[in-house]
Amino acid sequence: MGFAKTVSRELGGYNIRVNAIAPGAAGGDRIERVLQGLATAQHKTLEEERAAALSIQSLKRFVDPKLSLSQIPSAWREGPNRAMNSGCSSS
């Protein structure tokens, strides 16, 4: 999201829009390795660490990384990242 904001600020003067879609955390081998490493380091089970990771997300599931953006149901997209503010930012 930060990259999209930066590029939109740089290209906005040329009347070029920049959009980003954030479907949420992607599932798969990488996240499983990360969660297993965290679980081992914190003496927890993988299931406990997965539950903790999902508890801080709006949607309580990982997105299938094999899906293209057009295949991701709109209900799976994280709402807070869909700000329509013409590139304006408070920061």
Side-chain angles (χ1 to χ4, degrees), residues 17-34:
R17 295 182 192 177
V18 177
N19 297 305
I21 297 174
D29 293 340
R30 182 183 180 282
I31 191 68
E32 290 301 311
R33 288 192 308 271
V34 169

Side-chain angles (χ1 to χ4, degrees), residues 10-74:
E10 291 178 4
L11 300 179
Y14 300 101
N15 204 26
I16 298 173
R17 295 182 192 177
V18 177
N19 297 305
I21 297 174
D29 293 340
R30 182 183 180 282
I31 191 68
E32 290 301 311
R33 288 192 308 271
V34 169
L35 293 174
Q36 184 61 61
L38 290 169
T40 301
Q42 298 177 20
H43 306 290
K44 294 182 180 179
T45 66
L46 177 60
E47 292 75 24
E48 289 173 319
E49 202 56 48
R50 185 179 295 116
L54 291 173
S55 73
I56 60 172
Q57 295 188 58
S58 300
L59 304 176
K60 307 304 180 202
R61 62 179 164 252
F62 293 114
V63 174
D64 183 347
K66 296 175 188 121
L67 295 177
S68 70
L69 290 177
S70 64
Q71 294 172 309
I72 297 172
S74 61

